[in-house]
Amino acid sequence: MPAALPLLPTTVVGSYALPSWIYAADDWMQRGLYGPIDTAETFNDAVDRAIQDQEEAGIDIISDGEMRRRGFVQGFAHKISGLKNVGAPRKVGESGIDQEPVYETVGPVTVANGIGIVEEFEYLRDHTRKPTKVAVPGAFAITAWYKPVEHYKDRTELAWAFVPALKDEIRRLAAAGAKFIQIDEPIIPGYGADHHTPGDLTGMFNECIAGVSGVKFAMHVCFGTHKKIAYAKRTYAPFFPEMLDAKADQFVLEFANREMSEIERLKDWLSDRDLVAGVVDVRNHYIETPEDVAERIRALLKHFPAERLYLSPDCGMRRVIRYRAREKLNSLVEGARIVRRELTGKAD
Ligand SMILES: [Zn+2]
């Protein structure tokens, strides 16, 4: 059995920094130089390193680093039929989300064999004794770069088409023993100026988790981390209290990069839910010191009870340079220890 969680448990949002050698391996895979055994070994080794970094840093609830995924949601496209890759709208110049390939619907979308997250979880479960969490893209997130052309009148209808597959993935995750499942719904503008409401997000969230028990469900709402660039207005005010319609036990929200803005609203917004608060900025090359992190935690505790507070980076760490990602995890854990000592009077 995994160990009991301490006060102010530390965790991650999902993805972790890639080791440098994975870029070379990806290149060889794309050129057809790897067989299936080489590929499996490479991905397993990458997950092993992500587990090791989190364990050595002292993170309490770890992920598999999403090492088998490429891109936040784009990497699932090859598991979905009914889509056609029409390329990126822009291919030259500064980085932006318009440089990602767009997929147009050519008929009904189907996911015949799942999106692979159960298999990711099973490897993680079998290779650590730590409590684990797994992140699943929400129905809106998964459609971020899909453009409804055939069969769907708009993105909301297209997003609903993915709910049965996500629901099935989540049921199988729970059956495989997942205890923390997070659904990611960043405020992604998507292809064109799609408009979606908190009600759209919560309705899909609730349908995805319906009937599953014995799991702590979290909803991660962030402002995007495309190559360290955010792509939405950085305020939660338009989303709460409506987001509370989601039957989420926890909300995973970003605060570090927003200099802790809106923490005074937490007592109204999350009076009966857990908060997993982002206290490390994944979009900043600067490494927070443990004292920086401790200051952010102390600020949160003025507005939110320690008993319902978890700590994490703001978002996935896929875009952080690996050695700096490790340093940021170290500071997260040390910052939490400082405040834990202040609250309990004893070291852990
Ligand atoms: Zn995020």
mmCIF file with all atom_site columns, all heavy atoms in Angstrom, residues 187-202:
data_model
loop_
_atom_site.group_PDB
_atom_site.id
_atom_site.type_symbol
_atom_site.label_atom_id
_atom_site.label_alt_id
_atom_site.label_comp_id
_atom_site.label_asym_id
_atom_site.label_entity_id
_atom_site.label_seq_id
_atom_site.pdbx_PDB_ins_code
_atom_site.Cartn_x
_atom_site.Cartn_y
_atom_site.Cartn_z
_atom_site.occupancy
_atom_site.B_iso_or_equiv
_atom_site.pdbx_formal_charge
_atom_site.auth_seq_id
_atom_site.auth_comp_id
_atom_site.auth_asym_id
_atom_site.auth_atom_id
_atom_site.pdbx_PDB_model_num
ATOM 1   N N   . ILE A 1 187 ? -7.967  26.545 -20.797 1.00 0.00 ? 187 ILE A N   1
ATOM 2   C CA  . ILE A 1 187 ? -8.839  27.484 -21.501 1.00 0.00 ? 187 ILE A CA  1
ATOM 3   C C   . ILE A 1 187 ? -8.270  27.674 -22.899 1.00 0.00 ? 187 ILE A C   1
ATOM 4   O O   . ILE A 1 187 ? -7.664  28.679 -23.238 1.00 0.00 ? 187 ILE A O   1
ATOM 5   C CB  . ILE A 1 187 ? -8.923  28.819 -20.731 1.00 0.00 ? 187 ILE A CB  1
ATOM 6   C CG1 . ILE A 1 187 ? -9.275  28.535 -19.269 1.00 0.00 ? 187 ILE A CG1 1
ATOM 7   C CG2 . ILE A 1 187 ? -9.949  29.724 -21.361 1.00 0.00 ? 187 ILE A CG2 1
ATOM 8   C CD1 . ILE A 1 187 ? -10.502 27.670 -19.068 1.00 0.00 ? 187 ILE A CD1 1
ATOM 9   N N   . ILE A 1 188 ? -8.452  26.640 -23.709 1.00 0.00 ? 188 ILE A N   1
ATOM 10  C CA  . ILE A 1 188 ? -7.880  26.624 -25.058 1.00 0.00 ? 188 ILE A CA  1
ATOM 11  C C   . ILE A 1 188 ? -8.841  27.295 -26.027 1.00 0.00 ? 188 ILE A C   1
ATOM 12  O O   . ILE A 1 188 ? -10.007 26.923 -26.094 1.00 0.00 ? 188 ILE A O   1
ATOM 13  C CB  . ILE A 1 188 ? -7.621  25.174 -25.503 1.00 0.00 ? 188 ILE A CB  1
ATOM 14  C CG1 . ILE A 1 188 ? -6.483  24.579 -24.676 1.00 0.00 ? 188 ILE A CG1 1
ATOM 15  C CG2 . ILE A 1 188 ? -7.277  25.114 -26.977 1.00 0.00 ? 188 ILE A CG2 1
ATOM 16  C CD1 . ILE A 1 188 ? -6.144  23.165 -25.044 1.00 0.00 ? 188 ILE A CD1 1
ATOM 17  N N   . PRO A 1 189 ? -8.361  28.266 -26.773 1.00 0.00 ? 189 PRO A N   1
ATOM 18  C CA  . PRO A 1 189 ? -9.273  28.902 -27.726 1.00 0.00 ? 189 PRO A CA  1
ATOM 19  C C   . PRO A 1 189 ? -9.656  27.952 -28.852 1.00 0.00 ? 189 PRO A C   1
ATOM 20  O O   . PRO A 1 189 ? -10.730 28.043 -29.418 1.00 0.00 ? 189 PRO A O   1
ATOM 21  C CB  . PRO A 1 189 ? -8.458  30.079 -28.268 1.00 0.00 ? 189 PRO A CB  1
ATOM 22  C CG  . PRO A 1 189 ? -7.036  29.733 -28.016 1.00 0.00 ? 189 PRO A CG  1
ATOM 23  C CD  . PRO A 1 189 ? -7.019  28.835 -26.814 1.00 0.00 ? 189 PRO A CD  1
ATOM 24  N N   . GLY A 1 190 ? -8.760  27.005 -29.151 1.00 0.00 ? 190 GLY A N   1
ATOM 25  C CA  . GLY A 1 190 ? -9.057  26.035 -30.192 1.00 0.00 ? 190 GLY A CA  1
ATOM 26  C C   . GLY A 1 190 ? -8.958  26.632 -31.577 1.00 0.00 ? 190 GLY A C   1
ATOM 27  O O   . GLY A 1 190 ? -8.485  27.748 -31.763 1.00 0.00 ? 190 GLY A O   1
ATOM 28  N N   . TYR A 1 191 ? -9.406  25.870 -32.542 1.00 0.00 ? 191 TYR A N   1
ATOM 29  C CA  . TYR A 1 191 ? -9.315  26.317 -33.914 1.00 0.00 ? 191 TYR A CA  1
ATOM 30  C C   . TYR A 1 191 ? -10.359 27.404 -34.132 1.00 0.00 ? 191 TYR A C   1
ATOM 31  O O   . TYR A 1 191 ? -11.546 27.185 -33.999 1.00 0.00 ? 191 TYR A O   1
ATOM 32  C CB  . TYR A 1 191 ? -9.559  25.167 -34.883 1.00 0.00 ? 191 TYR A CB  1
ATOM 33  C CG  . TYR A 1 191 ? -9.345  25.606 -36.289 1.00 0.00 ? 191 TYR A CG  1
ATOM 34  C CD1 . TYR A 1 191 ? -8.084  25.588 -36.864 1.00 0.00 ? 191 TYR A CD1 1
ATOM 35  C CD2 . TYR A 1 191 ? -10.400 26.124 -37.037 1.00 0.00 ? 191 TYR A CD2 1
ATOM 36  C CE1 . TYR A 1 191 ? -7.878  26.044 -38.143 1.00 0.00 ? 191 TYR A CE1 1
ATOM 37  C CE2 . TYR A 1 191 ? -10.202 26.579 -38.312 1.00 0.00 ? 191 TYR A CE2 1
ATOM 38  C CZ  . TYR A 1 191 ? -8.931  26.541 -38.863 1.00 0.00 ? 191 TYR A CZ  1
ATOM 39  O OH  . TYR A 1 191 ? -8.734  27.013 -40.125 1.00 0.00 ? 191 TYR A OH  1
ATOM 40  N N   . GLY A 1 192 ? -9.914  28.581 -34.468 1.00 0.00 ? 192 GLY A N   1
ATOM 41  C CA  . GLY A 1 192 ? -10.851 29.690 -34.645 1.00 0.00 ? 192 GLY A CA  1
ATOM 42  C C   . GLY A 1 192 ? -11.337 30.205 -33.309 1.00 0.00 ? 192 GLY A C   1
ATOM 43  O O   . GLY A 1 192 ? -10.795 29.862 -32.248 1.00 0.00 ? 192 GLY A O   1
ATOM 44  N N   . ALA A 1 193 ? -12.343 31.033 -33.323 1.00 0.00 ? 193 ALA A N   1
ATOM 45  C CA  . ALA A 1 193 ? -12.801 31.698 -32.103 1.00 0.00 ? 193 ALA A CA  1
ATOM 46  C C   . ALA A 1 193 ? -13.965 30.942 -31.471 1.00 0.00 ? 193 ALA A C   1
ATOM 47  O O   . ALA A 1 193 ? -15.037 31.483 -31.261 1.00 0.00 ? 193 ALA A O   1
ATOM 48  C CB  . ALA A 1 193 ? -13.198 33.132 -32.432 1.00 0.00 ? 193 ALA A CB  1
ATOM 49  N N   . ASP A 1 194 ? -13.745 29.656 -31.182 1.00 0.00 ? 194 ASP A N   1
ATOM 50  C CA  . ASP A 1 194 ? -14.824 28.884 -30.555 1.00 0.00 ? 194 ASP A CA  1
ATOM 51  C C   . ASP A 1 194 ? -15.181 29.466 -29.209 1.00 0.00 ? 194 ASP A C   1
ATOM 52  O O   . ASP A 1 194 ? -14.297 29.854 -28.451 1.00 0.00 ? 194 ASP A O   1
ATOM 53  C CB  . ASP A 1 194 ? -14.374 27.436 -30.343 1.00 0.00 ? 194 ASP A CB  1
ATOM 54  C CG  . ASP A 1 194 ? -14.072 26.762 -31.651 1.00 0.00 ? 194 ASP A CG  1
ATOM 55  O OD1 . ASP A 1 194 ? -14.984 26.629 -32.450 1.00 0.00 ? 194 ASP A OD1 1
ATOM 56  O OD2 . ASP A 1 194 ? -12.899 26.385 -31.837 1.00 0.00 ? 194 ASP A OD2 1
ATOM 57  N N   . HIS A 1 195 ? -16.451 29.439 -28.947 1.00 0.00 ? 195 HIS A N   1
ATOM 58  C CA  . HIS A 1 195 ? -16.880 29.922 -27.644 1.00 0.00 ? 195 HIS A CA  1
ATOM 59  C C   . HIS A 1 195 ? -17.402 28.739 -26.847 1.00 0.00 ? 195 HIS A C   1
ATOM 60  O O   . HIS A 1 195 ? -18.200 27.973 -27.346 1.00 0.00 ? 195 HIS A O   1
ATOM 61  C CB  . HIS A 1 195 ? -17.997 30.951 -27.827 1.00 0.00 ? 195 HIS A CB  1
ATOM 62  C CG  . HIS A 1 195 ? -18.496 31.490 -26.540 1.00 0.00 ? 195 HIS A CG  1
ATOM 63  N ND1 . HIS A 1 195 ? -17.731 32.316 -25.748 1.00 0.00 ? 195 HIS A ND1 1
ATOM 64  C CD2 . HIS A 1 195 ? -19.646 31.284 -25.871 1.00 0.00 ? 195 HIS A CD2 1
ATOM 65  C CE1 . HIS A 1 195 ? -18.421 32.611 -24.651 1.00 0.00 ? 195 HIS A CE1 1
ATOM 66  N NE2 . HIS A 1 195 ? -19.570 32.004 -24.701 1.00 0.00 ? 195 HIS A NE2 1
ATOM 67  N N   . HIS A 1 196 ? -16.888 28.569 -25.643 1.00 0.00 ? 196 HIS A N   1
ATOM 68  C CA  . HIS A 1 196 ? -17.501 27.559 -24.790 1.00 0.00 ? 196 HIS A CA  1
ATOM 69  C C   . HIS A 1 196 ? -17.636 28.112 -23.392 1.00 0.00 ? 196 HIS A C   1
ATOM 70  O O   . HIS A 1 196 ? -16.877 28.969 -22.964 1.00 0.00 ? 196 HIS A O   1
ATOM 71  C CB  . HIS A 1 196 ? -16.747 26.232 -24.811 1.00 0.00 ? 196 HIS A CB  1
ATOM 72  C CG  . HIS A 1 196 ? -15.292 26.328 -24.505 1.00 0.00 ? 196 HIS A CG  1
ATOM 73  N ND1 . HIS A 1 196 ? -14.348 26.658 -25.436 1.00 0.00 ? 196 HIS A ND1 1
ATOM 74  C CD2 . HIS A 1 196 ? -14.615 26.105 -23.368 1.00 0.00 ? 196 HIS A CD2 1
ATOM 75  C CE1 . HIS A 1 196 ? -13.156 26.640 -24.888 1.00 0.00 ? 196 HIS A CE1 1
ATOM 76  N NE2 . HIS A 1 196 ? -13.279 26.313 -23.629 1.00 0.00 ? 196 HIS A NE2 1
ATOM 77  N N   . THR A 1 197 ? -18.640 27.602 -22.704 1.00 0.00 ? 197 THR A N   1
ATOM 78  C CA  . THR A 1 197 ? -19.000 28.153 -21.402 1.00 0.00 ? 197 THR A CA  1
ATOM 79  C C   . THR A 1 197 ? -18.546 27.194 -20.307 1.00 0.00 ? 197 THR A C   1
ATOM 80  O O   . THR A 1 197 ? -18.297 26.002 -20.570 1.00 0.00 ? 197 THR A O   1
ATOM 81  C CB  . THR A 1 197 ? -20.524 28.305 -21.298 1.00 0.00 ? 197 THR A CB  1
ATOM 82  O OG1 . THR A 1 197 ? -21.094 26.981 -21.355 1.00 0.00 ? 197 THR A OG1 1
ATOM 83  C CG2 . THR A 1 197 ? -21.078 29.148 -22.450 1.00 0.00 ? 197 THR A CG2 1
ATOM 84  N N   . PRO A 1 198 ? -18.464 27.671 -19.057 1.00 0.00 ? 198 PRO A N   1
ATOM 85  C CA  . PRO A 1 198 ? -18.189 26.741 -17.957 1.00 0.00 ? 198 PRO A CA  1
ATOM 86  C C   . PRO A 1 198 ? -19.188 25.590 -17.930 1.00 0.00 ? 198 PRO A C   1
ATOM 87  O O   . PRO A 1 198 ? -18.839 24.454 -17.625 1.00 0.00 ? 198 PRO A O   1
ATOM 88  C CB  . PRO A 1 198 ? -18.320 27.625 -16.717 1.00 0.00 ? 198 PRO A CB  1
ATOM 89  C CG  . PRO A 1 198 ? -18.007 29.003 -17.195 1.00 0.00 ? 198 PRO A CG  1
ATOM 90  C CD  . PRO A 1 198 ? -18.539 29.067 -18.606 1.00 0.00 ? 198 PRO A CD  1
ATOM 91  N N   . GLY A 1 199 ? -20.444 25.876 -18.308 1.00 0.00 ? 199 GLY A N   1
ATOM 92  C CA  . GLY A 1 199 ? -21.458 24.818 -18.313 1.00 0.00 ? 199 GLY A CA  1
ATOM 93  C C   . GLY A 1 199 ? -21.124 23.701 -19.289 1.00 0.00 ? 199 GLY A C   1
ATOM 94  O O   . GLY A 1 199 ? -21.391 22.524 -19.028 1.00 0.00 ? 199 GLY A O   1
ATOM 95  N N   . ASP A 1 200 ? -20.545 24.057 -20.438 1.00 0.00 ? 200 ASP A N   1
ATOM 96  C CA  . ASP A 1 200 ? -20.131 23.024 -21.400 1.00 0.00 ? 200 ASP A CA  1
ATOM 97  C C   . ASP A 1 200 ? -19.065 22.123 -20.769 1.00 0.00 ? 200 ASP A C   1
ATOM 98  O O   . ASP A 1 200 ? -19.097 20.896 -20.904 1.00 0.00 ? 200 ASP A O   1
ATOM 99  C CB  . ASP A 1 200 ? -19.536 23.670 -22.660 1.00 0.00 ? 200 ASP A CB  1
ATOM 100 C CG  . ASP A 1 200 ? -20.585 24.428 -23.470 1.00 0.00 ? 200 ASP A CG  1
ATOM 101 O OD1 . ASP A 1 200 ? -21.732 23.978 -23.506 1.00 0.00 ? 200 ASP A OD1 1
ATOM 102 O OD2 . ASP A 1 200 ? -20.226 25.469 -24.048 1.00 0.00 ? 200 ASP A OD2 1
ATOM 103 N N   . LEU A 1 201 ? -18.095 22.749 -20.087 1.00 0.00 ? 201 LEU A N   1
ATOM 104 C CA  . LEU A 1 201 ? -16.991 21.986 -19.492 1.00 0.00 ? 201 LEU A CA  1
ATOM 105 C C   . LEU A 1 201 ? -17.487 21.089 -18.362 1.00 0.00 ? 201 LEU A C   1
ATOM 106 O O   . LEU A 1 201 ? -17.109 19.908 -18.281 1.00 0.00 ? 201 LEU A O   1
ATOM 107 C CB  . LEU A 1 201 ? -15.911 22.930 -18.951 1.00 0.00 ? 201 LEU A CB  1
ATOM 108 C CG  . LEU A 1 201 ? -15.249 23.882 -19.954 1.00 0.00 ? 201 LEU A CG  1
ATOM 109 C CD1 . LEU A 1 201 ? -14.225 24.767 -19.251 1.00 0.00 ? 201 LEU A CD1 1
ATOM 110 C CD2 . LEU A 1 201 ? -14.592 23.105 -21.071 1.00 0.00 ? 201 LEU A CD2 1
ATOM 111 N N   . THR A 1 202 ? -18.336 21.632 -17.508 1.00 0.00 ? 202 THR A N   1
ATOM 112 C CA  . THR A 1 202 ? -18.769 20.838 -16.349 1.00 0.00 ? 202 THR A CA  1
ATOM 113 C C   . THR A 1 202 ? -19.696 19.706 -16.767 1.00 0.00 ? 202 THR A C   1
ATOM 114 O O   . THR A 1 202 ? -19.639 18.613 -16.208 1.00 0.00 ? 202 THR A O   1
ATOM 115 C CB  . THR A 1 202 ? -19.459 21.721 -15.286 1.00 0.00 ? 202 THR A CB  1
ATOM 116 O OG1 . THR A 1 202 ? -20.598 22.355 -15.876 1.00 0.00 ? 202 THR A OG1 1
ATOM 117 C CG2 . THR A 1 202 ? -18.516 22.786 -14.753 1.00 0.00 ? 202 THR A CG2 1
#
